Amino acid sequence: MSRSEEARKAQVRLPQLRLDELLEELQARIDAARGTQDRVHSLLEAVLSVGRELDLEQALYSIVEAATALVDAQYGALGVIGPDGKRLSAFHTVGVSEDQIARIGNYPEGHGILGELIRHPEPLRLPKLSEHPASYGFPPHHPPMNTFLGVPIRVRDQVFGNLYLTEKRGGTDFDEEDEAVLSTLAVAAGVAIDNARLYEESRLRERWLQANAEITHSLMSGGDQAEVLRLIAERARDITGAALAVVAVPMKDTDTLTVELAIGRQAEAHRGLVLPVEGSLIGRAFADVVPVTSPDVSQDDRISAGPPRFSGLGPAVAVPVGTGDGVRGVVLLVREAGANEFTQKEMEPLQGFAAQAAVAMELAERRKDAEQIAVLEDRDRIARDLHDLAIQRLFATGMTLQSAGRLIEHAQASERVLRAVDDLDETIKIIRSTIFGLRTRDDDAAPSLRARAVRVVGEAAPVLGFAPSVRMEGLLDTHVPKETADHIVAVLSESLTNIARHAHADRAEVVLETDGNEVSLTVTDSGVGVPEEGRRSGLANMAERARKLGGDMELADRDGGGTRLVWHAPVREGQGPSEG
């Protein structure tokens, strides 16, 4: 073949090679355009999917799922920044199993690389996590992670949290396009989170309004104070997500509060507790008339002495019921350990709800006062009728019989008439005594058993060196007669004195309760117990007081060391000792 023919064939092959290259480049561009189109389509689908969610928790999870799919990452997480702006308060993950999470332990709080994004809320892309100066490794059992891409999520110009993506599939690094896609999703996520929060707030306001309407209906239907307080505590606990709700009210004639009711976790340990106003969490809210919060109630120094009652519980808020001088009690709400603290945004509707509770108690008291006034007016009317009509007629009848008796000559008949006159005099005395009783006001009565018991415990505290815990249950001031109450106060005083003198204790607990049939006083301490050779005259006197009333007293060692004294007596008539 000649050299000219070879040249012509080479010229033919060159255009073919160029055409193949152009076709390959065109195909690559078509594939890239199709890939970009598919990615844009996926991004739009992700934005629409995230925007449809109105439940905040589900919206956050959907954002993480969409982010990992868009940038083809193996692991994804969304960290919500807490109120302090320095650490994470919540963490939502994709790609890590529940078993792995359990082995790793607590979720991160925002240190290392995660903290870097909190301090500097700008997109961060790393080919190798461990090479960044802020990185300090992973906890045991954590899956290996190298490539990293993080972007902040803003809600109304405020950083809500950060998206963290690691381990791009295929072993490649995250690129600028991944960063741009993720930043676009973060903008849509901010809008979706804002919508979900607004929806959540509107639903919350609706629930508070429904609760207020329910309480108002209960009041208009004539519900008593205990029923209304229970309704208030139940609704407040449900709406705020609290595990425990406690309502404490001031005790008359004392500087203490008593727990009127408690519902939820460990409620039994709270019912009937007597709490000091000074130095306690609930007392602080009552005295200062402002909400008082605690990040962890189980470790709070303002919790008064008493049985363990906050295990497994954490954040708490005590809200006064009423304003100014009209504070009628305190509502304490406690969440489970590890839950979010109560925020100012949550406390605002809660304060309004507590004001509704104050109205409920005010109305209940006014209704009770009106009923009491009606009873007293009725007593006065009866007393006037007895004095003006019955006594005058009986007196006139007696005078008539006495005059007629002088005219009766028959000795036995005259004697019977005079006896009738004497009987009328006795009847008049009984009626006068009844009139006096009808006109006696409850305000003239002696201090209640509850107040007297609290006073005895308060007087013993300086001698003991600590304040004993007190719990009271039942209608003590209604069911327990005065004589029995006097014995109880004496026994309580003697018991605390014995603890101060002989027990060397650092804790004591007083429980006073009645079921309407029997009243019991239980005093326990953490001291050395009662020695066998010790003096027991005081104990014998306390036991004798119980036996006089038809009751008894038991003394035993307390589990864990110390002494447990139980003194009990009947409170109903006819249950005392029989006469021989």
Side-chain angles (χ1 to χ4, degrees):
M1 180 182 296
S2 67
R3 191 172 291 177
S4 60
E5 289 178 351
E6 288 179 0
R8 280 198 305 273
K9 288 182 179 180
Q11 289 175 352
V12 171
R13 285 197 300 272
L14 282 173
Q16 288 177 342
L17 288 171
R18 288 174 183 169
L19 181 61
D20 289 342
E21 289 174 0
L22 289 172
L23 287 173
E24 287 177 4
E25 184 179 348
L26 179 62
Q27 184 64 45
R29 292 188 178 185
I30 291 172
D31 291 341
R34 185 178 293 115
T36 302
Q37 182 182 5
D38 290 343
R39 198 161 198 186
V40 170
H41 183 70
S42 298
L43 177 59
L44 289 174
E45 282 187 344
V47 169
L48 291 173
S49 174
V50 167
R52 281 193 292 265
E53 290 294 343
L54 288 176
D55 180 78
L56 182 58
E57 290 298 312
Q58 188 57 45
L60 297 178
Y61 186 76
S62 298
I63 291 167
V64 183
E65 277 193 323
T68 53
L70 282 173
V71 299
D72 202 20
Q74 186 174 352
Y75 305 108
L78 192 158
V80 180
I81 300 175
D84 61 0
K86 298 178 180 179
R87 62 184 65 195
L88 301 176
S89 62
F91 208 72
H92 305 265
T93 62
V94 168
V96 184
S97 67
E98 293 295 331
D99 290 341
Q100 285 178 304
I101 293 173
R103 287 199 299 272
I104 294 170
N106 296 330
Y107 282 118
E109 294 184 355
H111 305 292
I113 296 295
L114 306 188
E116 184 71 16
L117 265 172
I118 295 174
R119 292 185 294 272
H120 307 287
E122 299 292 337
L124 178 64
R125 184 157 40 94
L126 300 172
K128 196 169 184 63
L129 266 169
S130 58
E131 293 179 354
H132 192 279
S135 175
Y136 60 79
F138 297 103
H141 309 294
H142 197 286
M145 294 180 181
N146 291 299
T147 55
F148 175 85
L149 175 59
V151 296
I153 298 176
R154 287 180 169 84
V155 177
R156 298 188 181 187
D157 297 327
Q158 183 179 0
V159 179
F160 172 83
N162 295 303
L163 271 172
Y164 311 109
L165 286 305
T166 59
E167 291 300 286
K168 186 174 177 67
R169 299 182 190 276
T172 58
D173 296 339
F174 293 106
D175 55 25
E176 292 182 2
E177 188 176 340
D178 292 326
E179 183 179 318
V181 168
L182 200 59
S183 297
T184 303
L185 178 65
V187 173
V191 175
I193 290 168
D194 193 29
N195 289 339
R197 287 165 74 176
L198 290 173
Y199 177 74
E200 196 174 71
E201 288 173 9
S202 67
R203 289 292 304 273
L204 189 61
R205 282 195 296 270
E206 182 183 355
R207 292 184 68 187
W208 283 119
L209 288 173
Q210 287 177 346
N212 282 330
E214 193 174 354
I215 291 167
T216 302
H217 179 268
S218 176
L219 285 169
M220 295 302 103
S221 303
D224 60 16
Q225 177 173 319
E227 178 185 343
V228 173
L229 286 179
R230 173 166 289 278
L231 188 60
I232 289 167
E234 286 176 348
R235 295 298 173 268
R237 183 174 74 102
D238 292 342
I239 294 174
T240 60
L244 170 70
V246 172
V247 179
V249 297
M251 186 182 293
K252 188 177 179 181
D253 301 325
T254 68
D255 292 328
T256 59
L257 299 159
T258 180
V259 175
E260 187 81 6
L261 64 89
I263 55 174
R265 179 181 291 187
Q266 302 181 58
E268 200 63 38
H270 292 267
R271 293 190 185 112
L273 276 176
V274 177
L275 308 171
V277 170
E278 186 176 352
S280 68
L281 181 70
I282 289 179
R284 173 79 180 276
F286 179 81
D288 296 348
V289 200
V290 292
V292 179
T293 59
S294 173
D296 186 358
V297 73
S298 64
Q299 303 296 325
D300 201 306
D301 294 336
R302 296 169 294 181
I303 298 303
S304 61
R309 54 192 187 276
F310 289 109
S311 60
L313 297 174
V317 60
V319 181
V321 179
T323 57
D325 296 332
V327 180
R328 301 182 172 275
V330 177
V331 176
L332 175 70
L333 298 169
V334 190
R335 286 175 173 159
E336 293 183 351
N340 293 332
E341 295 180 24
F342 287 90
T343 63
Q344 184 62 36
K345 206 168 191 178
E346 287 181 294
M347 285 189 283
E348 288 174 2
L350 186 56
Q351 283 180 276
F353 194 66
Q356 181 76 17
V359 174
M361 298 174 76
E362 178 75 20
L363 288 176
E365 284 187 13
R366 292 293 173 265
R367 186 182 295 114
K368 185 178 179 181
D369 289 344
E371 292 172 354
Q372 185 68 18
I373 290 171
V375 169
L376 293 175
E377 289 177 346
D378 201 36
R379 285 182 179 181
D380 287 341
R381 181 187 57 78
I382 294 171
R384 283 195 308 272
D385 289 346
L386 287 173
H387 183 273
D388 297 342
L389 301 175
I391 288 181
Q392 297 303 324
R393 288 191 178 187
L394 288 173
F395 187 74
T397 303
M399 292 291 290
T400 302
L401 288 175
Q402 196 173 17
S403 299
R406 299 192 189 99
L407 303 176
I408 299 174
E409 298 179 356
H410 194 282
Q412 290 183 346
S414 177
E415 185 182 350
R416 292 185 65 179
V417 169
L418 292 175
R419 278 206 307 268
V421 171
D422 292 339
D423 289 342
L424 285 174
D425 287 339
E426 287 299 320
T427 303
I428 290 172
K429 289 178 182 178
I430 292 170
I431 293 174
R432 286 187 187 278
S433 176
T434 302
I435 292 172
F436 179 79
L438 287 171
R439 287 178 171 170
T440 299
R441 300 292 188 263
D442 292 337
D443 294 340
D444 301 331
S448 67
L449 173 57
R450 285 173 175 263
R452 294 172 69 189
V454 169
R455 191 172 294 120
V456 168
V457 173
E459 291 171 353
V463 182
L464 289 166
F466 58 88
S469 71
V470 183
R471 183 158 57 90
M472 300 184 189
E473 291 192 54
L475 301 176
L476 294 164
D477 298 332
T478 303
H479 288 157
V480 181
K482 183 180 182 305
E483 181 188 358
T484 307
D486 292 341
H487 285 294
I488 290 170
V489 171
V491 170
L492 175 58
S493 179
E494 180 72 17
S495 300
L496 295 176
T497 300
N498 287 342
I499 293 173
R501 288 177 178 174
H502 310 297
H504 305 291
D506 58 5
R507 291 191 316 277
E509 181 180 355
V510 175
V511 179
L512 182 58
E513 54 192 345
T514 182
D515 59 2
N517 296 313
E518 185 178 69
V519 61
S520 68
L521 170 67
T522 304
V523 182
T524 57
D525 66 73
S526 60
V528 297
V530 180
E532 291 295 329
E533 67 280 1
R535 294 179 60 188
R536 294 177 174 263
S537 57
L539 297 174
N541 290 337
M542 288 189 281
E544 183 60 27
R545 287 179 180 273
R547 296 189 187 103
K548 282 182 178 179
L549 299 170
D552 206 348
M553 187 188 82
E554 293 86 33
L555 188 69
D557 292 334
R558 170 180 169 271
D559 294 340
T563 306
R564 176 185 176 88
L565 180 147
V566 181
W567 188 98
H568 55 92
V571 295
R572 287 189 174 178
E573 293 183 4
Q575 293 187 359
S578 59
E579 296 181 1

